[in-house]
Amino acid sequence: MKPAFSKKMGRWFLTDRVRDLVDWWGTPQSQGEEPPPVQKPVADGSTELIRLPERSDWNIPSCDLVGAIAGRESHRRFNNAPLRLDELAFLLWSTQGVRKKLHQAAVLRTVPSAGCRHPFETYLVVLRVEGLATGIYRYLPLDHALVLASAPVDLAQQITAATRGQRFAGQAAVTFVWSAIPARTEWRYAEASAKVIALDAGHVCQNLYLACGAIGCGTCAIAAYDQDLVDELVGVDGDDELVVYLSPVGKLA
């Protein structure tokens, strides 16, 4: 049986009244607990890290910010051209790149995040990227590297099914899949975390839109997906870590 939908509760989520209910002296941070790591560890036995090109090695043209903002739009039609590895590195840096590591609990990135908590992990459903085999990869921002998470068969069909039949996801060169690890934000904000995690996801995806414009790519954010299928596809448990947003990227048709 489907849970009953409450319009009032849905609208309450958009307010900030939850902060009035939080026991701020009882949060993990206030209790002196160590914060969760800013990057999920690589599982033992994983393949070697795939180092990405550094900024000094990118062949990325300069981009007029005013023009990029004015021309921002969603694209669902892509051609079959692959992304270069430096282009992918640029997109990853633009969305979750580390500018400075402050200490073990916080890093400054290219996007804002409530309390500098940065709850996201970035998974990539790679179909056409030069130098990478088809598969699902995870971005390691502290290392500016990738690690292969899995190599499912029929990956284009699986990402299409996971996005409720949105075919352009299976036609993209790569689909960015952002999961959230709520505990990172809950360490500081407890029950007030859900709203700011959702807000943070918007910051990340807008940077992807603008960065795509610099390299002749397009993207279209996806918030309609099958939660169980997409969580299973990227290998997260759906509770301590769960997918919250996707955005396929490809060269423009």
Side-chain angles (χ1 to χ4, degrees):
M1 180 181 296
K2 291 184 178 181
F5 173 75
S6 168
K7 182 187 293 185
K8 184 176 181 180
M9 179 59 70
R11 292 180 177 178
W12 186 86
F13 172 79
L14 293 173
T15 74
D16 206 33
R17 295 189 177 94
V18 67
R19 288 180 189 267
D20 298 327
L21 306 179
V22 174
D23 174 13
W24 293 106
W25 293 108
T27 66
Q29 181 184 24
S30 295
Q31 292 296 307
E33 295 182 21
E34 289 293 316
V38 297
Q39 176 177 287
K40 192 169 76 168
V42 177
D44 292 338
S46 295
T47 57
E48 292 184 6
L49 301 189
I50 302 167
R51 301 291 177 180
L52 292 167
E54 298 293 340
R55 290 177 64 186
S56 58
D57 299 320
W58 296 347
N59 184 23
I60 304 298
S62 60
C63 178
D64 170 48
L65 180 59
V66 174
I69 293 173
R72 189 225 59 80
E73 62 179 288
S74 294
H75 294 276
R76 298 176 178 83
R77 296 182 63 190
F78 311 117
N79 63 30
N80 291 324
L83 264 67
R84 302 193 314 267
L85 197 58
D86 68 321
E87 291 175 326
L88 180 62
F90 166 64
L91 296 181
L92 288 164
W93 173 84
S94 299
T95 52
Q96 284 288 272
V98 173
R99 294 167 46 227
K100 182 179 181 181
K101 186 173 182 179
L102 299 178
H103 47 76
Q104 66 173 8
V107 293
L108 298 179
R109 304 201 186 196
T110 53
V111 292
S113 176
C116 202
R117 299 311 307 140
H118 295 288
F120 304 117
E121 293 284 332
T122 304
Y123 295 85
L124 301 170
V125 178
V126 171
L127 297 178
R128 295 186 306 280
V129 175
E130 292 179 355
L132 294 179
T134 299
I136 297 175
Y137 297 78
R138 181 164 63 92
Y139 178 50
L140 308 176
L142 295 181
D143 307 282
H144 192 53
L146 300 176
V147 63
L148 179 64
S150 63
V153 297
D154 300 324
L155 187 52
Q157 291 85 348
Q158 288 204 51
I159 189 61
T160 299
T163 53
R164 299 187 182 275
Q166 298 183 72
R167 289 180 294 177
F168 71 96
Q171 297 164 352
V174 57
T175 295
F176 282 63
V177 181
W178 294 292
S179 70
I181 298 179
R184 290 183 189 162
T185 305
E186 292 166 349
W187 175 77
R188 176 166 292 172
Y189 294 114
E191 293 88 348
S193 297
K195 178 182 176 180
V196 295
I197 289 173
L199 292 172
D200 283 355
H203 306 322
V204 173
C205 195
Q206 177 69 354
N207 266 27
L208 180 65
Y209 267 87
L210 297 179
C212 280
I215 58 172
C217 283
T219 192
C220 179
I222 292 177
Y225 52 87
D226 185 304
Q227 189 71 54
D228 293 334
L229 283 182
V230 77
D231 284 344
E232 182 179 1
L233 183 61
V234 300
V236 299
D237 65 10
D239 184 18
D240 292 326
E241 184 179 0
L242 61 154
V243 171
V244 294
Y245 216 7
L246 304 89
S247 205
V249 173
K251 296 288 185 176
L252 293 179

